[in-house]
Amino acid sequence: MASSSLMATYNRADTAFEMGQGAWLFDTDGNKYLDLLSGIAVCGLGHSHPAVTHAIRDQAGRLLHTSNLYEIPLQTELANRLTKISGMDNVFFCNSGAEANEAAIKLARLYGHHQGINNPNIIVLDSAFHGRTMATLTATGNRKAQAGFEPLLSGFIRAPYDDIEAIKTIANNTPDVVAIFVEPIQGEGGVHVPAENYLNELRNICDANNWLLMLDEVQTGNGRTGKYFAYQHNDILPDVVTTAKGLANGFPIGACLAQGKAACILQPGTHGSTFGGNPLACAAALATVDTLLHDKLIKRAETLGNRILDGLKEQLKSANYIKDIRGKGLMIGIELSDPCTELVMLAKAKGLLINVTAGSVIRLLPPLTLSDEEADLAVDSIAKLIKVYVGDDRQGQRRTQNRDSSDRRHLNSDDS
Ligand SMILES: Cc1ncc(COP(=O)(O)O)c(C=O)c1O
């Protein structure tokens, strides 16, 4: 009812939040929820983080926007911070993940044209998610998302994920490839973690063929996997890396970073954005990045991730309906043997915000500021929820059957 004047692009849950504090969200009916999704990997510092709140308030009182026709010192400062963290040479700022990826795709095409390749191809992967704009939708490996939006763009070659032999075959048989574009861990596609040396092998193939290695770290970046960027687990440098989501803890911003031969491709007139990297967005991002580093939250993501993974594996170890429990840092997937999208609503009724992706993978993307107690509460609650859902917990099943909205119990720290 409330959404009738909005385009129906989302299947929204019938809940509106009016306040957030740390890992907790509070709805308009006064219910409290443990947020294990962080606005889909966005609010890594949790809700209402004082450093970000202060930075936004302070900057909003000075200057919101001037355009990229002028110097923006906060943008330069943020670029310096990100290049130092990442080992990249320079940055283009925009407003979202899809836009950051558009910049990468344009950069790769121009790189090809500079070498006399008039129809450059970019290798993209099955089950990839890169965004909803036409180029990023084409790069996305999900036919359902693409259906109805044809004609898609030319210039993309699809390969299976985590399959080095398939990439070698393309290298040996396909001319005019200029880049490979890959998520270090696939998020929307089902939290797929590739073989440990996957990125190293891709780096080698790219070097041997003069291709750009381009990584989509829109979701994996900004500390989520236990390194600032996920490629830092592999000790390699990509030519291009994109990020967005967690970069400003909820303020919209995207970034496309490049190094070496990729860093001098985009020149005046080749690309741009009116809002990209405006003073307000950069102030929010600087506060976020500095807090991630200062509070050692990236290491904390690794520790917390291991705690949650170990806890879930222990509590669900004998369950034959669990296909896999996997992840890195605070990007965690629990794959069930059957579709389980209803779990999102069942979890919400218990005061727990989770996501199910690829039909049967429960995806957890909690804030990096979670306490040990909150992490343990998350593990206990999710394990219990799954057991009740599959009917593995008789007592729990009775509870589920008897559930009615007037008897909804909401989690809080003392809920056992
Ligand atoms: C890996 C990846 N790339 C790109 C995007 C698109 O980002 P945005 O929704 O900010 O355009 C997403 C969003 O989920 C993502 O997970």
Side-chain angles (χ1 to χ4, degrees):
M1 186 174 57
S3 309
S4 59
S5 53
L6 296 173
M7 279 200 195
T9 46
Y10 306 103
N11 274 321
R12 296 176 198 270
D14 186 19
T15 299
F17 302 110
E18 62 181 3
M19 209 190 94
Q21 195 67 55
W24 298 89
L25 278 170
F26 301 84
D27 72 15
T28 44
D29 295 327
N31 298 312
K32 181 179 176 183
Y33 303 81
L34 181 58
D35 183 5
L36 301 176
L37 193 53
S38 313
I40 323 183
V42 168
C43 306
L45 302 182
H47 300 284
S48 310
H49 193 284
V52 182
T53 304
H54 173 78
I56 290 176
R57 278 198 182 130
D58 185 55
Q59 188 57 42
R62 289 165 201 266
L63 186 64
L64 296 183
H65 177 85
T66 56
S67 89
N68 285 298
L69 297 174
Y70 305 99
E71 293 289 337
I72 302 175
L74 285 170
Q75 193 182 116
T76 307
E77 199 181 331
L78 180 60
N80 288 342
R81 201 80 99 254
L82 290 176
T83 51
K84 187 162 174 230
I85 291 169
S86 63
M88 306 299 281
D89 290 338
N90 54 23
V91 191
F92 168 81
F93 287 109
C94 49
N95 312 288
S96 68
E99 262 187 277
N101 289 343
E102 285 280 341
I105 291 164
K106 282 183 70 178
L107 189 158
R109 287 187 165 196
L110 202 50
Y111 168 75
H113 281 272
H114 285 180
Q115 296 169 77
I117 299 174
N118 292 329
N119 291 298
N121 284 308
I122 300 172
I123 300 175
V124 289
L125 289 307
D126 287 340
S127 304
F129 187 82
H130 296 298
R132 299 280 193 169
T133 60
M134 282 313 303
T136 60
L137 183 66
T138 306
T140 288
N142 178 346
R143 271 305 298 151
K144 228 169 106 188
Q146 295 171 334
F149 298 103
E150 297 82 2
L152 299 173
L153 271 60
S154 58
F156 292 90
I157 296 175
R158 180 98 29 217
Y161 189 65
D162 195 17
D163 184 344
I164 288 296
E165 289 311 312
I167 306 299
K168 286 184 180 162
T169 304
I170 292 174
N172 291 334
N173 296 292
T174 317
D176 298 344
V177 173
V178 294
I180 177 160
F181 192 29
V182 53
E183 293 158 88
I185 296 173
Q186 289 188 333
E188 295 290 316
V191 192
H192 297 300
V193 185
E196 227 166 85
N197 62 346
Y198 182 56
L199 295 184
N200 304 76
E201 300 222 31
L202 289 181
R203 178 71 274 174
N204 291 340
I205 297 174
C206 286
D207 289 344
N209 292 280
N210 203 25
W211 300 346
L212 299 179
L213 176 61
M214 308 205 301
L215 300 181
D216 178 344
E217 295 234 22
V218 167
Q219 191 164 145
T220 51
N222 308 296
R224 179 140 301 275
T225 73
K227 297 279 184 192
Y228 195 93
F229 286 111
Y231 66 80
Q232 292 170 324
H233 291 286
N234 292 72
D235 223 6
I236 54 142
L237 265 192
D239 300 292
V240 176
V241 60
T242 59
T243 195
K245 289 184 181 283
L247 180 53
N249 212 50
F251 199 92
I253 186 169
C256 175
L257 296 83
Q259 63 91 18
K261 58 182 183 272
C264 49
I265 303 293
L266 294 178
Q267 292 294 323
T270 56
H271 198 48
S273 161
T274 296
F275 291 121
N278 81 11
L280 188 58
C282 290
L286 277 165
T288 304
V289 174
D290 287 349
T291 305
L292 284 170
L293 298 181
H294 180 266
D295 292 357
K296 301 190 171 29
L297 291 172
I298 300 170
K299 182 75 191 150
R300 176 81 184 140
E302 185 187 20
T303 310
L304 271 172
N306 289 337
R307 186 180 183 106
I308 294 175
L309 268 183
D310 291 349
L312 288 170
K313 284 179 180 167
E314 176 59 29
Q315 294 209 26
L316 295 167
K317 66 183 169 205
S318 52
N320 58 6
Y321 44 82
I322 300 286
K323 258 180 100 174
D324 195 17
I325 300 175
R326 56 181 178 255
K328 208 165 209 169
L330 289 175
M331 191 167 174
I332 293 171
I334 308 161
E335 183 169 2
L336 270 58
S337 44
D338 291 307
C340 60
T341 43
E342 308 98 305
L343 267 175
V344 172
M345 295 306 290
L346 296 175
K348 188 164 74 68
K350 294 286 182 193
L352 203 63
L353 302 181
I354 61 167
N355 171 249
V356 170
T357 191
S360 57
V361 182
I362 301 166
R363 181 171 48 159
L364 306 179
L365 299 160
L368 283 58
T369 50
L370 215 61
S371 67
D372 286 351
E373 292 71 29
E374 287 164 342
D376 294 345
L377 175 64
V379 169
D380 292 346
S381 309
I382 288 164
K384 193 153 121 188
L385 184 82
I386 295 172
K387 286 179 185 173
V388 168
Y389 176 68
V390 298
D392 195 22
D393 171 346
R394 285 170 184 222
Q395 212 187 353
Q397 198 171 28
R398 269 202 302 280
R399 269 203 305 279
T400 300
Q401 281 161 355
N402 293 339
R403 190 181 54 243
D404 93 359
S405 57
S406 62
D407 187 31
R408 284 194 308 174
R409 289 180 67 232
H410 285 265
L411 286 172
N412 57 45
S413 308
D414 9 327
D415 196 338
S416 55

